[in-house]
Amino acid sequence: MVLHYDFGQGPLAGIISSSFLSTFPDCEIIKTTQSENPFMQVADLFAYSELLKYKIDKGFLTKSETKFFGGIKNLTSNYLKSLYEKYL
């Protein structure tokens, strides 16, 4: 298994490294950037969409997020729904 990570957040990088290496001893962790690996941008998009879904479910969506996406209904039907139709 090969894990590509940008090590952008120090504490998280340590958690990811130690947990993956202890669970998967043959795992190789490669430091990469989004410019080197464009699929990281897709991963970030889906990770952020999961965060948005969680925040909607728990009622934690901020006013600026709600305003940016034009409301929760618009976010759900026009952004998240179409994104998850393409989710593998």
Side-chain angles (χ1 to χ4, degrees), residues 11-45:
L12 185 58
I15 293 169
I16 289 172
S17 295
S18 63
S19 62
F20 269 87
L21 291 174
S22 65
T23 307
F24 307 104
D26 295 333
C27 178
E28 180 182 355
I29 300 175
I30 298 173
K31 183 176 181 180
T32 188
T33 63
Q34 288 190 359
S35 61
E36 293 171 346
N37 191 344
F39 288 113
M40 289 186 67
Q41 294 174 346
V42 176
D44 282 346
L45 175 63

Side-chain angles (χ1 to χ4, degrees), residues 68-85:
F68 178 82
F69 289 107
I72 293 174
K73 184 176 180 181
N74 190 49
L75 169 59
T76 304
S77 61
N78 293 328
Y79 290 94
L80 297 178
K81 182 180 176 188
S82 61
L83 182 64
Y84 280 92
E85 288 173 353

